[in-house]
Amino acid sequence: MEYQLSVEQFRKSKMFDSNGKFHHNSGNRFKLFPFDTSSKAPVMELESLLGNFLCRIEGKEPKKITVADLVEKLKKETEIQAGQEELFFETIRQLFFTTNGMIRPLNLQMIEQIPCTEMSEIKIAEYLVDVLGESDSLRKSLSNTKVKASNNVLENLVLSKLEFGNPPKGKGGLKYFRIVESLRASFEEDFNYVLGDSKRLREYLIELLELYFFSYTAQASLQLRRFMDGERDRNIPLYFCLEWEKTSQSRLCFTEGWQKLQSAIEKMFAHVITLEILNQTDDGSELVDYIRLGEIVSNDEKDKKISEQIDALTALYRASITDCAEMNDMKKKFSPSGMTAASLSFLFDSIRIQFENTGRNARYKSYANKFESCCRNFLKNRGRSGRMLNLSEENLIFITKLCIKNQDHMRLKDVFKAFERRGIFLDDISKEQATDYYEKLNLIEKKSDSGDAKYVKRIL
């Protein structure tokens, strides 16, 4: 499919109303992040969307079931002595339902029954399914887990009564665009590992999603900042410190940590609108992000053609904005990377400056703050140095378990490389602190006196 921008399509899009007034509507032609600009409170916990996430992987929806419904179904296969009906009802209610009448999340099928009605949570569940892994791989992991029967006969009987249906027609449609591929393989491996044991499933599934929700969104934001020079298959170093260690502003955890990420996420909504405009194309054109656009315009002839098309849409956008003198003072600049790079930069900067210098700034910041709120588990205030990306003891143990999995041990330097596969970078000082912590837990095994011969034992 050839990429062909269309001024006419842009005019007819949902970004312009019937009176020709421009609105910063997004997600109609290109879905990037699951946030919005409203003042509504951000999603702080992923537990309530877990069932929706799992059901989306399998392409199904749970059929609601009450205690009374379940008891009636169980009665057909269970012999209940006369006069014991009320006791049976109460037993089922206490074993398998919470005090608010929701089914207890004892295993995958029951987790999938957890209702998710908040649109902000549903959008995040959809986002995680689309960007973290290939559906076939994730579906296979779920299927493999479900064939493992519980030792509890009553629980298995209850599971046989839970019903699922197909999602209503019309659901699906445009998927979130996966900007980076660098985390996909590790997520699929970690997802399969966590599902492989019922205890790990209960303890770590939510923590796994929180980790990758953060890492993917952080890496996507950092790659977007590189525009057409972005790389799908490489994690940009983002440095964390350990919760208990001393830090300073000369450390990488300060200069190449939260400071760098915060600068990138502040501009998230400008990228959202830029990419929505860059996908106002003729029918049949492929979806593009900056990286794909760079691949297309590597041909000099296409570079000139697409640059002119972007300029035409930029002119229409700028003409529709009447409240930003700073934007009107801007001039398009030359780029050594080519004509399209110059046109893209001019479009993006027009959008960014318009947001930063008008009454829309509060909503612009609100969009970035929605993700910043989700980073709280990985942030700690470090006094004069401000906030830094942080790993607690629990974070360190969890990620170490993901790296080593069922191996007896793993070379120490390979453990740190596995951290980086998951978007977590540590400088030399933090690595020494982590090594000391492993030694304190008696997890270090030395094959010789060489530093390269240190191994981290599997954490049970």
Side-chain angles (χ1 to χ4, degrees), residues 10 277 309-319 343 346-347 350:
F10 188 27
I277 291 174
Q309 293 175 4
I310 294 175
D311 287 344
L313 269 64
T314 302
L316 179 55
Y317 170 77
R318 288 169 61 85
S343 296
F346 187 52
L347 171 60
S350 297

Side-chain angles (χ1 to χ4, degrees), residues 15 22-27 32-38 123 221 224 263-277 290 317 348 351-352 354-356 360-369 371:
M15 302 186 89
F22 183 85
H23 299 273
H24 292 94
N25 291 330
S26 61
L32 182 57
F33 297 122
F35 311 114
D36 58 43
T37 61
S38 71
K123 287 167 68 176
S221 299
L224 287 168
S263 174
I265 66 176
E266 284 173 351
K267 303 172 182 63
M268 291 176 90
F269 195 51
H271 289 296
V272 168
I273 298 302
T274 301
L275 285 165
E276 184 75 14
I277 291 174
Y290 302 144
Y317 170 77
F348 174 81
I351 294 167
R352 177 184 60 79
Q354 187 254 334
F355 276 129
E356 293 173 356
R360 298 175 180 85
N361 193 29
R363 295 173 72 84
Y364 181 64
K365 289 182 177 179
S366 176
Y367 193 96
N369 289 341
F371 175 60

Side-chain angles (χ1 to χ4, degrees), residues 18-177:
S18 57
N19 296 317
K21 184 178 180 181
F22 183 85
H23 299 273
H24 292 94
N25 291 330
S26 61
N28 297 300
R29 301 290 294 232
F30 190 94
K31 291 171 77 171
L32 182 57
F33 297 122
F35 311 114
D36 58 43
T37 61
S38 71
S39 58
K40 191 174 180 179
V43 174
M44 303 294 285
E45 303 289 343
L46 300 189
E47 184 175 2
S48 55
L49 61 82
L50 192 54
N52 190 282
F53 169 78
L54 295 172
C55 284
R56 283 182 178 276
I57 291 172
E58 298 190 295
K60 65 183 185 181
E61 285 200 352
K63 293 184 178 179
K64 186 177 179 181
I65 190 167
T66 65
V67 184
D69 294 335
L70 181 57
V71 167
E72 285 305 310
K73 290 182 178 183
L74 293 174
K75 280 181 178 179
K76 296 176 183 178
E77 296 185 30
T78 309
E79 187 176 333
I80 303 172
Q81 294 181 356
Q84 297 296 307
E85 290 85 354
E86 187 174 335
L87 177 61
F88 181 71
F89 181 96
E90 189 60 22
T91 300
I92 296 300
R93 187 187 68 78
Q94 290 192 22
L95 286 176
F96 298 105
F97 288 84
T98 62
T99 53
N100 61 0
M102 298 299 166
I103 200 159
R104 291 186 186 278
L106 303 178
N107 51 50
L108 277 178
Q109 289 95 320
M110 291 180 176
I111 292 173
E112 289 176 338
Q113 288 281 330
I114 300 172
C116 182
T117 56
E118 287 290 329
M119 184 53 63
S120 54
E121 294 175 348
I122 291 171
K123 287 167 68 176
I124 291 176
E126 181 185 1
Y127 171 73
L128 294 176
V129 171
D130 289 347
V131 303
L132 291 186
E134 296 299 339
S135 15
D136 287 346
S137 174
L138 303 183
R139 200 176 299 120
K140 183 178 179 181
S141 294
L142 284 175
S143 299
N144 290 341
T145 303
K146 289 180 178 180
V147 298
K148 300 174 184 177
S150 167
N151 294 326
N152 187 310
V153 175
L154 181 56
E155 184 177 316
N156 285 332
L157 185 58
V158 169
L159 291 180
S160 70
K161 305 306 173 189
L162 301 182
E163 296 182 355
F164 296 85
N166 295 322
K169 289 184 178 179
K171 283 199 173 182
L174 187 64
K175 292 182 178 295
Y176 285 91
F177 194 101

